[in-house]
Amino acid sequence: MAATLCGRLLPKAGWLPLTQSVRHGSKAVTRHRKPVHFLKQKLLAVTEYIPPTPAAPPGALVRRVRKTEEESTLAVLLRKDLETLFKECKMIAVVQNNAINAEDLLQLKHKLKRHNISIKFFPNQVMRSFLNDSIYCNMLPLFVGQTVIFVSKEPKVKEMLQALRRSPQMVLLGACIENTLLSYQGILNYSKLPSMTTIQGELVGGLTMMTSQTVSMLRHHPAHLSALLQQYVKQQGSGDATNAVTSKDASTIQEAAA
């Protein structure tokens, strides 16, 4: 049985299969496509035709409407506070806050409060919106970064500088004193000026001296004139007496001669 199976399954000698797989050799490619030179590629890219985009028919595009953001009620209230501050206060100094801690800031507030100087915090956006529409628009470059303002109803520059000497984190940038914009050097020069009380005292002293001088000059001429007249009267009186004495002596001499 095994022999018969092997005889059937195994191919006989000299037998060829009905189908055979024949492997042909690959053909040699003799023509390769050369790459385009890079100058020619540039020229082709530059001279490539770009068709114009077709224009849209009228009414097809919708106009873009810019949405205007309305100010919040808080910003409006802050702007009103700024208006009152700039109207009532004669000194408004801009100071840059370089990460001062809460304890040092509290001590600085107490030092300034002794001289009626207060510290105000306002967002830069509110400050810029207020300054753009006011006469203080030249103060806009000062409000960059974290800034605070020192305000007082009277220009107390010396006291402010003395308080800032012990707080190096707070840098003075500029100030508006009596509607005049001053730089840091201008503030230092302003602090060296005498106070209003001393200037008023010097002015009153000078005026009183001038009035006293004018009164003395006005009184000098009449007094001098009256003294001259009195001297003249005295001289006239002494002259009459001497004339009377000389006439009496002449009569006595004439009588003695007779």
Side-chain angles (χ1 to χ4, degrees):
M1 187 71 182
T4 57
L5 288 173
C6 291
R8 290 180 181 178
L9 293 175
L10 294 175
K12 297 178 181 180
W15 178 79
L16 294 176
L18 297 177
T19 59
Q20 294 181 355
S21 61
V22 180
R23 185 178 181 182
H24 300 280
S26 61
K27 296 182 180 179
V29 180
T30 57
R31 292 182 181 180
H32 292 283
R33 194 170 184 180
K34 294 182 179 179
V36 184
H37 198 267
F38 69 97
L39 292 178
K40 188 175 181 181
Q41 292 178 6
K42 289 183 179 180
L43 182 63
L44 291 173
V46 171
T47 58
E48 184 181 1
Y49 174 72
I50 300 174
T53 56
L61 300 177
V62 182
R63 294 183 180 179
R64 294 181 180 179
V65 180
R66 294 183 178 180
K67 295 181 180 179
T68 57
E69 296 181 357
E70 296 182 357
E71 288 186 346
S72 61
T73 54
L74 178 61
V76 175
L77 290 175
L78 291 175
R79 286 191 64 177
K80 289 182 179 179
D81 292 341
L82 281 173
E83 290 178 2
T84 54
L85 280 177
F86 275 83
K87 287 180 182 178
E88 295 177 357
C89 300
K90 293 183 179 180
M91 185 186 76
I92 301 172
V94 184
V95 182
Q96 186 176 8
N97 183 10
N98 292 328
I100 187 172
N101 53 23
E103 185 178 357
D104 294 341
L105 183 61
L106 186 61
Q107 292 179 359
L108 181 62
K109 282 184 178 180
H110 285 306
K111 290 177 184 177
L112 295 173
K113 200 66 178 178
R114 296 173 186 173
H115 308 288
N116 296 326
I117 302 173
S118 57
I119 302 177
K120 300 291 183 181
F121 295 88
F122 290 97
N124 288 340
Q125 184 178 1
V126 178
M127 290 294 300
R128 289 170 185 168
S129 63
F130 168 72
L131 294 174
N132 280 326
D133 303 331
S134 65
I135 60 174
Y136 307 100
C137 57
N138 292 328
M139 296 180 67
L140 277 172
L142 299 178
F143 292 95
V144 177
Q146 295 183 356
T147 54
V148 296
I149 56 175
F150 294 172
V151 295
S152 66
K153 294 185 179 181
E154 295 296 332
K156 297 181 179 181
V157 181
K158 291 183 180 179
E159 293 81 357
M160 181 183 66
L161 292 175
Q162 289 176 0
L164 285 175
R165 284 175 185 173
R166 298 181 182 180
S167 300
Q169 298 91 349
M170 306 294 280
V171 181
L172 183 62
L173 301 177
C176 179
I177 300 174
E178 294 180 347
N179 294 328
T180 303
L181 184 61
L182 298 176
S183 62
Y184 178 73
Q185 189 63 36
I187 296 170
L188 293 178
N189 296 334
Y190 186 88
S191 64
K192 296 176 183 178
L193 296 175
S195 60
M196 289 296 295
T197 55
T198 56
I199 293 174
Q200 289 174 358
E202 292 177 358
L203 180 61
V204 170
L207 291 175
T208 53
M209 186 181 295
M210 292 175 63
T211 53
S212 62
Q213 287 179 356
T214 52
V215 169
S216 63
M217 289 175 65
L218 290 173
R219 289 179 178 178
H220 176 70
H221 296 288
H224 185 61
L225 181 60
S226 62
L228 290 176
L229 290 174
Q230 289 176 4
Q231 185 70 23
Y232 179 74
V233 170
K234 288 179 181 179
Q235 289 179 359
Q236 289 293 328
S238 61
D240 294 338
T242 52
N243 290 331
V245 170
T246 52
S247 61
K248 288 181 180 179
D249 294 339
S251 62
T252 52
I253 290 169
Q254 287 177 2
E255 288 176 357

